[in-house]
Amino acid sequence: MVLYDEIGVGYAAHRRTDSRWLTPVLDALDGAGTVLDVGSGTGSYAPPGRTVLAVEPSVAMIGQRPPGSPPVVRAVAEALPVRDDAVDAALAVLTVHHWTDWRRGVAELRRVAPLRVVLAYDTARIADFWMVRDYLPEILRLELSRPSSDDIADALGADVVLPLPVPWDFTDALFPAHWRRPAAYLDPRVRRVASAFAQTPAAVVERGIARLRADLDSGRWHENNAALLEEKEYDAGFRLVVSRA
């Protein structure tokens, strides 16, 4: 079964486009009239105003794409169904860490487009996130098994690696999105759309969330993380990797 056929239910309701990340993605795609959106999911970061073809393996994700979305082909990144240099740019947003053979997928990005724009993250930085540090350290093993942004940048021969901090009111409910809104993680619908939760045993997650709930009730979380409440954005390690032929 494709991963997101299992965990992608309800994804579109919580993983919504945030313009503060879409803008740098569009800037990186400047001059690209045709774009292959690889691992497009529900199309949250499909660039408007371009000719876009989406590639997505999950039926569940394809079924949540809104009306008017770019055409989508069910396929995997490791075998993109287009010829060499078929498009001006290949875009891959928060998807490489789910690929079965990420190096082969990156080679495919290089094959099909002279410009590659990949949104990834530094997997080691997740150890500093309070959810992992204090409640679910088991997630760190999963994250460290995934390709990091530095690995992807090296494989792509990146020209630019741009940090993308997470604003405190971020609308795309990825794993660290609620770093300043901890009560959000008590909602199982929020946890369901973040693969770090979805790929961790349910009993482990429930145990960690129970500790979080207790710390929120007692005020301990706020005592331990008071400095975060003054911050407007958080560097969770997300990086925009840009590579040109």
Side-chain angles (χ1 to χ4, degrees):
M1 177 182 287
V2 175
L3 173 65
Y4 274 89
D5 281 344
E6 181 178 358
I7 71 173
V9 177
Y11 195 90
H14 295 278
R15 298 299 299 269
R16 300 187 301 274
T17 311
D18 194 297
S19 63
R20 291 164 291 188
W21 275 19
L22 180 60
T23 295
V25 168
L26 295 179
D27 289 344
L29 291 171
D30 185 41
T34 55
V35 178
L36 190 67
D37 186 6
V38 180
S40 179
T42 60
S44 297
Y45 291 93
R50 321 291 173 100
T51 299
V52 177
L53 173 63
V55 173
E56 170 57 46
S58 168
V59 171
M61 299 295 274
I62 290 172
Q64 295 176 72
R65 294 171 68 85
S69 294
V72 59
V73 174
R74 190 180 182 207
V76 296
E78 296 88 342
L80 295 174
V82 296
R83 59 177 172 76
D84 295 0
D85 295 316
V87 290
D88 296 326
L91 173 66
V93 175
L94 296 177
T95 178
V96 176
H97 58 286
H98 291 308
W99 297 352
T100 301
D101 183 344
W102 73 268
R103 291 186 182 278
R104 183 176 174 185
V106 165
E108 281 287 271
L109 299 184
R110 301 190 72 160
R111 178 182 68 81
V112 303
L115 170 64
R116 286 79 57 171
V117 178
V118 176
L119 204 169
Y121 60 99
D122 180 346
T123 54
R125 288 188 67 94
I126 205 67
D128 298 328
F129 179 36
W130 57 260
M131 176 62 80
V132 174
R133 184 190 66 222
D134 300 333
Y135 301 101
L136 287 168
E138 296 86 354
I139 286 177
L140 183 58
R141 178 179 295 182
L142 168 66
E143 294 295 350
L144 292 180
S145 73
R146 293 170 160 176
S148 191
S149 52
D150 286 344
D151 301 321
I152 296 165
D154 287 345
L156 279 173
D159 302 292
V160 176
V161 178
L162 176 69
L164 291 185
V166 181
W168 77 270
D169 56 349
F170 202 52
T171 60
D172 187 347
L174 42 78
F175 177 48
H178 304 287
W179 58 269
R180 212 182 86 174
R181 298 170 288 168
Y185 292 111
L186 304 182
D187 185 343
R189 295 170 298 180
V190 169
R191 300 196 301 271
R192 192 176 298 123
V193 297
S195 64
F197 287 119
Q199 292 184 273
T200 301
V204 172
V205 173
E206 289 299 330
R207 186 168 61 245
I209 294 300
R211 290 197 296 267
L212 172 60
R213 183 180 289 107
D215 283 356
L216 289 173
D217 289 343
S218 69
R220 183 179 180 182
W221 184 92
H222 290 82
E223 292 174 7
N224 291 344
N225 298 282
L228 283 181
L229 301 177
E230 304 297 323
E231 301 296 330
K232 297 293 178 58
E233 58 185 25
Y234 172 61
D235 184 0
F238 293 96
R239 302 290 182 262
L240 192 64
V241 179
V242 183
S243 167
R244 295 181 182 273

